[in-house]
Amino acid sequence: MLVVTPQDVAAVREVAAAHGVEVRAVPGRGFEPVGTVCLAILGTAAAVGLVRRVLDERKGGQVIDLRPGARKPIYRDPDLMYGTVVVCTADGGVRIGALKPAGLFDRVLGVLPEILSVGDTAATVTQAVVEEFGTNVTIEPAEPPPGQESQ
């Protein structure tokens, strides 16, 4: 099951068709957020998994904006390569790149709340990421993605 925006339905159907997976709309059952569509994707486990991964990769990287007044504190940005996490702090930013994004990207996202609890400066985020992932990630200074400046 996928819950997507109406604008994403065509992309889901396109990716699914390219991998031999069937897509069926599921009537609303009251649990989906307003403005979304629930789709069932049917096929072999491998094909469905591949479609889900391709769709996730199309969303791009993750942005976490800790700056005061940020319009969107947490969002995915298709202009960032999948496997990249940009943390925008008041004193600068940190770009974290998973060297093997297929498995590590989800792990990085999973521990970010804990990592961010150590502080909200670029230095503390960098130190926490290095302690958690060592050489499995790249870390470099980063600017916020264009159009996402604080208000």
Side-chain angles (χ1 to χ4, degrees):
M1 299 294 276
L2 293 175
V3 177
V4 298
T5 65
Q7 298 86 351
D8 292 333
V9 172
V12 170
R13 291 188 186 284
E14 178 184 323
V15 171
H19 294 89
V21 173
E22 182 182 349
V23 176
R24 292 186 190 162
V26 176
R29 298 180 187 217
F31 64 89
E32 299 90 6
V34 174
T36 62
V37 177
C38 186
L39 301 173
I41 52 176
L42 309 166
T44 65
V48 168
L50 179 60
V51 167
R52 291 181 73 89
R53 179 169 175 214
V54 168
L55 292 170
D56 190 47
E57 288 178 7
R58 288 174 62 125
K59 293 178 186 176
Q62 180 74 47
V63 177
I64 299 170
D65 197 339
L66 303 174
R67 298 171 298 162
R71 288 185 292 159
K72 292 169 132 180
I74 300 173
Y75 61 95
R76 296 284 293 270
D77 186 339
D79 292 332
L80 284 176
M81 185 175 74
Y82 176 79
T84 302
V85 178
V86 173
V87 180
C88 303
T89 59
D91 69 337
V94 177
R95 179 183 300 266
I96 305 164
L99 298 179
K100 297 179 183 176
L104 192 61
F105 184 55
D106 291 334
R107 282 186 47 220
V108 170
L109 293 180
V111 300
L112 273 175
E114 179 182 328
I115 288 172
L116 296 176
S117 71
V118 301
D120 60 358
T121 67
T124 56
V125 170
T126 298
Q127 180 179 349
V129 170
V130 168
E131 288 174 5
E132 180 72 30
F133 297 103
T135 60
N136 292 319
V137 297
T138 60
I139 302 173
E140 59 191 53
E143 294 295 320
Q148 299 301 324
E149 296 78 17
S150 292
Q151 294 181 339

